Amino acid sequence: MSVKETTTPIEEALKGRDFLTLLDLTPGEIQGLLDQALEMKQEWKKGKAGRPLTGKTLGMIFDKPSTRTRLSFESGMAQLGGHPLHLKGGDLQLGRGESLPDTARIFSGYVDAVLIRTFNQETVEELARHASIPVINGLTDLHHPCQALADLLTLKENRSHLAGLTLAYTGDGNNMLHSLLEAAASTGIHLRAATPQGYEPDPAIIQRAQKVAAQTGADLYFTSDAEDAVTGADAVYTDVWASMGQEEEKEQRKQDFADFQVNAALMSLAKPDALFMHCLPAYRGLEVTDEVIEGPQSVVFPQAENRLHAQKALLADLIG
């Protein structure tokens, strides 16, 4: 889609809706967003980007620290002509006991959409129930859909297609894996997930993803053997072993995840041109070695930049 002050079928489909998980979008809507993001990125690189969100405001609530989410959404809104408002949860009246439904109604009267990065998925869902504006999930302990959208964009940019690709994930069955399962299921990607026993992804999320995968031809495969998952893969993905709020488990997790590190030996089992991906921040020497993250197969920094472009497409369609 060209960044002009016109509406498209994708914009009409998404306008005013929430984005709480990848499954809030149909497979066709995801493909449309990715095509739009690629075009917006190309126009931005040429200095020809439009400003379809002039006069629009995004309220952003952060209960968790953030680098990529905050930078990409603030920059994206500004580049599209809109205005971002960064708000820490503790700075709002929420921190003094105002109810979430009341806060949702107040936001609905002031801004055009709200992004929230918090702990519980239930908080995001309750905010969405009571808000009359689009609510965007910037990350919860259960889902990270904005990152997964950028990951799909990165794969499409490097491989030109998604259906039939094999993506190997090794590490924790966390929010990142949950969103990757939904992303793969929606686009026909074959996802092989290797997690230690006791760290598997949420069964309910697996079940929902498998229903979508049955329609798109995606294969979702689960194992406790990292080598099994990575062998012959088109891309290898990992995430931190201990996420925010799990710091007390860090030492135990180091032991439990020792065989799931992405190093040169593990990468050698993937296809020779396989991509290495990581949502960042990375703890080098734990889930990935310096040799891999700084190596020629690594796309982690273009992947991080694609947060900006994927989210600009999302913002333009939700509130444009």
Side-chain angles (χ1 to χ4, degrees):
M1 181 197 113
S2 179
V3 187
K4 299 173 183 175
E5 280 66 22
T6 57
T7 52
T8 68
I10 289 294
E11 286 178 321
E12 289 298 331
L14 300 187
K15 190 173 178 67
R17 286 167 51 184
D18 299 316
F19 184 60
L20 310 186
T21 77
L22 256 295
L23 296 187
D24 285 340
L25 306 179
T26 68
E29 288 169 348
I30 290 175
Q31 293 290 353
L33 268 180
L34 296 177
D35 290 340
Q36 180 177 340
L38 284 172
E39 187 166 348
M40 292 176 84
K41 181 176 181 178
Q42 291 166 2
E43 291 181 347
W44 178 71
K45 296 283 188 183
K46 296 175 183 176
K48 298 180 180 179
R51 297 171 69 81
L53 298 189
T54 298
K56 302 290 186 179
T57 305
L58 174 69
M60 305 189 303
I61 303 173
F62 286 87
D63 290 328
K64 285 188 172 188
S66 173
T67 297
R68 281 149 292 277
T69 299
R70 180 176 176 182
L71 282 172
S72 56
F73 271 102
E74 285 200 12
S75 297
M77 275 299 289
Q79 290 174 19
L80 293 172
H83 183 67
L85 294 170
H86 174 255
L87 304 160
K88 292 183 180 179
D91 293 340
L92 300 171
Q93 293 295 342
L94 269 171
R96 299 177 63 242
E98 184 172 53
S99 74
L100 196 59
D102 285 356
T103 299
R105 294 185 181 103
I106 295 301
F107 267 74
S108 297
Y110 289 148
V111 300
D112 297 285
V114 58
L115 164 78
I116 181 167
R117 180 179 170 93
T118 189
F119 294 90
N120 297 321
Q121 182 72 15
E122 293 80 8
T123 300
V124 178
E125 292 172 356
E126 185 178 7
L127 186 69
R129 278 196 301 273
H130 295 280
S132 59
I133 54 174
V135 174
I136 300 169
N137 180 359
L139 175 140
T140 65
D141 291 342
L142 204 60
H143 292 280
H144 200 355
C146 291
Q147 177 65 55
L149 198 60
D151 298 336
L152 291 175
L153 181 62
T154 304
L155 286 169
K156 186 164 186 174
E157 197 172 36
N158 282 274
R159 292 294 182 264
S160 76
H161 69 285
L162 296 174
L165 291 177
T166 297
L167 173 63
Y169 176 93
T170 173
D172 191 19
N174 59 11
N175 54 0
M176 194 64 253
L177 178 54
H178 291 160
S179 287
L180 286 174
L181 284 169
E182 295 181 346
S186 296
T187 57
I189 291 173
H190 305 315
L191 178 61
R192 302 178 190 161
T195 59
Q197 292 184 358
Y199 295 95
E200 295 87 356
D202 186 295
I205 292 175
I206 293 174
Q207 186 177 26
R208 288 195 295 270
Q210 285 176 330
K211 288 181 179 179
V212 179
Q215 302 170 6
T216 64
D219 178 42
L220 307 180
Y221 173 75
F222 303 92
T223 179
S224 58
D225 185 338
E227 293 185 356
D228 179 29
V230 169
T231 299
D234 295 289
V236 179
Y237 199 121
T238 193
D239 190 11
V240 296
W241 291 344
S243 299
M244 284 178 280
Q246 298 173 332
E247 288 80 7
E248 293 182 358
E249 304 173 23
K250 188 174 181 179
E251 293 306 315
Q252 182 61 52
R253 283 171 173 261
K254 282 183 183 179
Q255 299 176 36
D256 296 342
F257 286 84
D259 293 335
F260 293 80
Q261 181 188 74
V262 181
N263 48 39
L266 189 65
M267 281 297 296
S268 71
L269 300 177
K271 290 182 179 178
D273 63 345
L275 306 173
F276 171 71
M277 305 177 70
H278 194 304
C279 56
L280 301 180
Y283 293 91
R284 298 165 184 240
L286 292 180
E287 74 270 10
V288 62
T289 60
D290 263 323
E291 183 180 9
V292 170
I293 200 169
E294 295 291 352
Q297 292 170 274
S298 175
V299 292
V300 297
F301 295 108
Q303 177 187 358
E305 182 192 318
N306 277 339
R307 288 288 303 274
L308 172 67
H309 307 296
Q311 289 160 191
K312 284 169 66 175
L314 180 67
L315 287 167
D317 288 350
L318 290 177
I319 61 176

